[in-house]
Amino acid sequence: ILVGLVSFLILTLVFWRVDPADLSASGELVFGKQEYWRAFTTSLLHADLNHLGQNAIFFTGLAVLLNNYFGWFVFPVLSFIAGGLVNLMVLKIYPPGVTLVGISGVIYFMAAFWMTLYVC
């Protein structure tokens, strides 16, 4: 519950104070202008409420499983770092002008991590 409340507070402050264009990522911005931090901050954005809702379903379930089973380092620390690295890989193969938003990179890592380690 604490992680959820803190996450909600951070996202609320981010959306209230920051222009979303300052957090989004594209190959042009990340690799062309060396703004690598954007690969991580783009996870805080979503295209619309539908996009946010669809990601929230999987994110919430996987967050609870990973945090309770493997501990706080796997979620949120490792998941956020790995999600940024996944975004870097995706941006490398996307055309430079395509903008990437959402937490899908984090969710893909979380699902793969859970399925692999739980089974093993």
Side-chain angles (χ1 to χ4, degrees):
I1 292 174
L2 180 63
V3 171
L5 290 174
V6 170
S7 297
F8 179 75
L9 179 63
I10 290 171
L11 289 175
T12 302
L13 291 173
V14 165
F15 284 121
W16 182 51
R17 298 290 235 168
V18 178
D19 181 14
D22 294 339
L23 300 177
S24 64
S26 69
E28 180 181 328
L29 292 170
V30 173
F31 301 114
K33 295 184 178 182
Q34 282 103 31
E35 295 178 357
Y36 296 105
W37 53 269
R38 287 179 177 270
F40 298 91
T41 59
T42 195
S43 295
L44 302 172
L45 302 175
H46 285 81
D48 54 27
L49 286 177
N50 185 32
H51 183 211
L52 177 63
Q54 290 173 354
N55 279 337
I57 294 169
F58 295 105
F59 180 80
T60 303
L62 289 167
V64 168
L65 288 173
L66 290 175
N67 187 275
N68 290 337
Y69 197 82
F70 295 109
W72 64 270
F73 181 73
V74 172
F75 180 82
V77 177
L78 182 62
S79 298
F80 183 71
I81 293 168
L85 296 175
V86 168
N87 288 341
L88 284 171
M89 289 187 283
V90 168
L91 287 170
K92 195 70 171 165
I93 61 172
Y94 275 11
V98 172
T99 301
L100 182 67
V101 294
I103 200 161
S104 297
V106 174
I107 293 173
Y108 291 142
F109 167 78
M110 291 166 67
F113 189 93
W114 172 256
M115 288 188 288
T116 302
L117 291 184
Y118 184 76
V119 170
C120 292

